[in-house]
Amino acid sequence: MKYLNKLASVFFIAALGVMTLTSCEGSDLFKVNAPDWLSEMGGDEEEGGGDEEDLSGQKEDVYTIGATDFSTGWWSTWSKYYVIPEATKWIAQFTLNINPSAPNTYKNFAMIICNDEDRGATNYKEYGAIRFDNQPSGNSEWGDYIDRGLIESNLTFETDTDEGVQKLGGKVTLTLDRTEGGMIVKMTNGTVTKTYKQTSALANLNADQSNTNIRVFLVPEGSYIDWISTNIEPIGGCTEAGDKQPLKMTLNGAPKKVLLGTTMEEAFANVTATVEFEQGVTANVTAADLTFQAVPDMNSLGTKTLVAAYSKTYKGEGATAPVIASVQFDVVDKMYTLLGAADNSSGFWSEHSTAIKVAPKETFVSTFTNYCGGANWNNFVMVLASQDGSTEYGVLRADNWGWGTGWAGEDLASKCTPSGGQSDWAAWLAAMNGAKVTIYVTNNGDGTADVRCVMLGTDGVEYKQDYIGLNTVTNPDDFYFHLTIDNCHLEFDDLLGADDNSSGFWSAHSPYIKVDKGQTVTRRFRNYSGGANWNNFVTVLTNADGSTEYGVLRADNWGWGTGWVGEELASKCTPSGGQSDWATWLAAMDDAMVTVSVTNHGDGTADVRCVMVGNDGVTYTQDYIGLNTVTDPDALYMHFTIDGCHLVFE
């Protein structure tokens, strides 16, 4: 990380005007590599560059799509849009760079064919996608308007891990021909040729039926593309090979919280920026290319502003003027939410968590770390009550004691079933100082309720406490629980994924929770999103050992798994509707409160309902009703994973 004295005045000016600066996350990534495109136009047939197309009308269009370290994931970066009118042929040339150590045949590129709309627009529709590799039993092309029977290729793979993917690399000539009424696609590098020949008329997916244009764009995965030329000027114009000055910048992956005492190098090491240069070209740069300043400082608690500057041209020369961007963060002394003072000075009933409704046939799961005082009762306390608190069904202490109506005619404490280890109270109390606690509160819907506490002590012993069959719940539709303290404190620190959103897909998982037949299990958490729609929470439904995935459900209404017999999971999602404006939804999902409920009907079907209260105050919902491939209803489990985001559970 570089701290340049010559930028001091830039930061001074930035600090004065910092409240007017804005920053957002996510952008299409275009990177100029400035190859000698004119000399690349020629090409030797044996080197994969020859073809039979007339390239005399090609326009220079020089930029790079994808990270040059081959780290680009699927649908994380896109080429420009190329609009192809009816009766027109599009010809493009580019160099496809294949990872020399990539084992997967699908790590090349796909051409997405869509109507004349931007991705994410309300009326956006896809004809489908055609990928350069050919795997008849796989997904090397897809879409409702793509007939896989019309595909031909001289290189066919049987599985994702077949050898030969390197043959796809080199200079590719791509054509899409609409001159004869249908759509003929040809991808060739002189060694591998793949074609799609549709002679029937192409359906018109545009809302305005007088508009017969289609659009295409390319998406790399685990590869990168150095664009060379096109005969149709793309939206936004072609990119010339010359150097370009930076115009503006946005920051990505900045932490929301920084622990007091953390150095600037440590705090912002994973921050990246998307820099926009002249001619609409953008590039992703790392923290090593940026200069940072915290305004006013990082040495005290409170809300701060991170100001970053970038002072290079696209080719890495000194820029005429640097570009700056800013984002706010908090300097904190604890990275989690506390209930009760950290010195255990908060007395009994002095602080309460938010009351949470537990609906009939629902189990709510909550996790936290317990830090106790000097006596058995100086630990967490659960409260079961009506919403307004006027009726207390039970006040349950960690030390197997409590009060409330509980059971008709019976003392609440007498109905506690402990695991047994609590008989040595001195050992138990010591173990509870830092114990990881999971609470399960079940509303049986018939006027009874169950509570289970699992306390993993600092001694490695798992202590349990069960209250089964509380039978005085007079109104099952008005049943709530919350937590309080008694000279102790609780930390809600169940963090999944790195808090700078650097954890990749499937890199962290929450514990598996069983969903019993006839029951609903609910978890609630804060979702902190990354820079794309899929960089949010992921709900996973499996069997006990995870070997069968009934559903992997993303927050952005997409997923996979057995789901429904003969139907894709994504097609069965019923969203609330607000997700049609994806940019607004994505912005709202950062620090959104999310409640996910999974219902096991016990007959081989299950439901998933996600309720997302965004930071904009809007409630977004997502329903998957009737997943019908749960082969073992006695072993249905739910858990969560992440993808460039992080979750904080309640």
Side-chain angles (χ1 to χ4, degrees):
M1 198 169 298
K2 301 175 182 178
Y3 295 88
L4 305 177
N5 291 333
K6 67 179 182 179
L7 289 172
S9 61
V10 173
F11 283 124
F12 177 72
I13 295 170
L16 292 177
V18 74
M19 296 309 294
T20 66
L21 297 173
T22 60
S23 176
C24 62
E25 297 192 5
S27 176
D28 289 3
L29 306 181
F30 304 133
K31 184 176 180 182
V32 177
N33 217 18
D36 185 357
W37 78 278
L38 290 173
S39 63
E40 295 262 352
M41 287 286 293
D44 186 81
E45 180 73 26
E46 294 180 353
E47 295 178 352
D51 53 70
E52 299 176 355
E53 300 293 349
D54 179 7
L55 302 175
S56 59
Q58 295 296 104
K59 308 173 190 292
E60 177 187 46
D61 198 15
V62 185
Y63 61 98
T64 294
I65 318 163
T68 56
D69 63 356
F70 303 104
S71 62
T72 297
W74 171 250
W75 210 256
S76 59
T77 186
W78 307 269
S79 75
K80 302 174 185 179
Y81 288 117
Y82 297 84
V83 178
I84 307 172
E86 197 173 18
T88 302
K89 177 191 278 190
W90 175 54
I91 306 172
Q93 283 202 319
F94 51 85
T95 300
L96 174 63
N97 300 276
I98 299 289
N99 189 341
S101 60
N104 300 105
T105 60
Y106 56 80
K107 291 190 174 180
N108 53 90
F109 78 91
M111 178 176 66
I112 313 300
I113 307 164
C114 62
N115 66 349
D116 198 12
E117 293 281 356
D118 289 347
R119 287 183 307 275
T122 302
N123 294 321
Y124 173 78
K125 294 181 180 179
E126 289 181 4
Y127 291 91
I130 302 175
R131 217 167 53 198
F132 194 18
D133 62 290
N134 184 54
Q135 187 186 147
S137 61
N139 62 341
S140 50
E141 50 276 333
W142 60 91
D144 293 340
Y145 297 87
I146 299 295
D147 182 353
R148 301 192 72 185
L150 304 179
I151 291 288
E152 295 180 2
S153 176
N154 64 348
L155 177 63
T156 298
F157 299 106
E158 298 299 327
T159 72
D160 289 343
T161 56
D162 284 1
E163 295 182 358
V165 65
Q166 300 301 329
K167 294 181 181 180
L168 301 175
K171 190 174 72 175
V172 177
T173 300
L174 171 62
T175 62
L176 191 155
D177 190 346
R178 300 187 67 194
T179 58
E180 297 183 6
M183 182 174 69
I184 299 175
V185 175
K186 180 180 179 182
M187 305 172 175
T188 183
N189 62 2
T191 300
V192 178
T193 298
K194 180 174 181 176
T195 60
Y196 175 80
K197 298 180 180 179
Q198 177 182 324
T199 56
S200 59
L202 196 64
N204 188 346
L205 302 184
N206 293 312
D208 176 5
Q209 288 291 293
S210 66
N211 179 7
T212 59
N213 294 342
I214 64 172
R215 294 191 192 190
V216 299
F217 57 94
L218 302 192
V219 183
E221 179 178 9
S223 64
Y224 67 94
I225 293 171
D226 291 317
W227 208 280
I228 299 171
S229 67
T230 174
N231 68 330
I232 292 178
E233 185 169 310
I235 293 177
C238 291
T239 302
E240 298 174 0
D243 202 1
K244 297 163 183 63
Q245 295 290 327
L247 300 178
K248 62 181 180 179
M249 177 174 69
T250 58
L251 297 178
N252 310 313
K256 304 294 187 299
K257 296 180 181 179
V258 173
L259 194 63
L260 184 65
T262 304
T263 67
M264 191 169 289
E265 288 84 352
E266 294 169 334
F268 307 124
N270 293 317
V271 173
T272 64
T274 302
V275 182
E276 182 176 328
F277 298 86
E278 295 171 318
Q279 297 188 26
V281 178
T282 63
N284 230 25
V285 301
T286 67
D289 297 307
L290 302 170
T291 306
F292 294 109
Q293 179 71 37
V295 180
D297 58 56
M298 289 186 62
N299 303 320
S300 59
L301 300 176
T303 299
K304 315 290 182 177
T305 299
L306 173 66
V307 181
Y310 180 77
S311 58
K312 297 178 183 178
T313 64
Y314 184 80
K315 289 188 174 182
E317 304 297 330
T320 302
V323 289
I324 58 176
S326 71
V327 65
Q328 288 191 324
F329 67 97
D330 290 315
V331 175
V332 298
D333 57 0
K334 295 285 185 182
M335 295 297 286
Y336 36 74
T337 302
L338 289 182
L339 184 66
D343 62 359
N344 294 332
S345 61
S346 299
F348 177 65
W349 216 255
S350 59
E351 294 194 34
H352 298 262
S353 67
T354 302
I356 296 172
K357 181 177 183 177
V358 185
K361 295 291 185 179
E362 182 176 30
T363 298
F364 194 95
V365 182
S366 181
T367 56
F368 55 88
T369 303
N370 179 89
Y371 290 94
C372 60
N376 291 350
W377 52 88
N378 297 141
N379 288 284
F380 70 89
V381 180
M382 283 182 295
V383 182
L384 311 179
S386 57
Q387 183 178 20
D388 62 7
S390 60
T391 301
E392 284 181 358
Y393 302 116
V395 180
L396 314 177
R397 292 193 331 205
D399 60 343
N400 307 338
W401 200 79
W403 59 91
T405 59
W407 283 264
E410 296 188 68
D411 182 76
L412 216 163
S414 69
K415 300 294 287 188
C416 175
T417 304
S419 58
Q422 292 93 317
S423 59
D424 184 347
W425 287 111
W428 174 84
L429 182 60
M432 286 297 290
N433 194 34
K436 300 294 184 180
V437 181
T438 303
I439 292 175
Y440 305 83
V441 180
T442 301
N443 178 354
N444 294 317
D446 58 359
T448 69
D450 304 328
V451 176
R452 162 165 280 200
C453 303
V454 180
M455 300 161 271
L456 180 60
T458 56
D459 56 358
V461 176
E462 190 175 82
Y463 303 92
K464 295 180 181 178
Q465 180 192 63
D466 289 341
Y467 290 90
I468 306 301
L470 291 88
N471 61 13
T472 57
V473 181
T474 53
N475 184 359
D477 289 316
D478 186 22
F479 182 73
Y480 287 73
F481 93 96
H482 71 272
L483 297 166
T484 187
I485 42 88
D486 184 1
N487 290 102
C488 64
H489 72 280
L490 314 181
E491 293 177 354
F492 295 90
D493 62 345
D494 198 350
L495 177 69
L496 187 66
D499 62 6
D500 62 358
N501 292 335
S502 62
S503 299
F505 177 65
W506 215 256
S507 58
H509 298 262
S510 69
Y512 282 36
I513 300 174
K514 186 177 182 182
V515 186
D516 288 323
K517 289 193 295 186
Q519 293 293 313
T520 298
V521 172
T522 299
R523 291 226 65 183
R524 191 162 80 165
F525 51 85
R526 289 279 181 186
N527 178 89
Y528 295 92
S529 59
N533 290 351
W534 53 90
N535 296 139
N536 290 286
F537 72 91
V538 181
T539 307
V540 185
L541 304 186
T542 69
N543 60 352
D545 63 5
S547 59
T548 300
E549 286 179 356
Y550 301 119
V552 181
L553 314 177
R554 293 193 329 206
D556 61 342
N557 306 340
W558 201 79
W560 58 92
T562 59
W564 283 264
V565 176
E567 296 189 69
E568 290 186 0
L569 253 172
S571 69
K572 300 293 286 189
C573 176
T574 304
S576 57
Q579 294 92 318
S580 59
D581 184 348
W582 285 113
T584 299
W585 174 85
L586 180 60
M589 285 298 291
D590 194 31
D591 196 22
M593 178 61 76
V594 179
T595 303
V596 178
S597 300
V598 177
T599 301
N600 180 355
H601 292 294
D603 59 359
T605 68
D607 302 335
V608 179
R609 181 173 178 82
C610 303
V611 179
M612 301 160 272
V613 181
N615 60 38
D616 56 358
V618 176
T619 297
Y620 305 90
T621 63
Q622 180 193 62
D623 290 341
Y624 290 90
I625 306 301
L627 291 88
N628 62 11
T629 57
V630 181
T631 53
D632 185 0
D634 290 312
L636 176 62
Y637 288 77
M638 65 179 290
H639 74 276
F640 298 92
T641 188
I642 43 87
D643 183 3
C645 64
H646 71 280
L647 316 178
V648 179
F649 287 86
E650 288 201 333

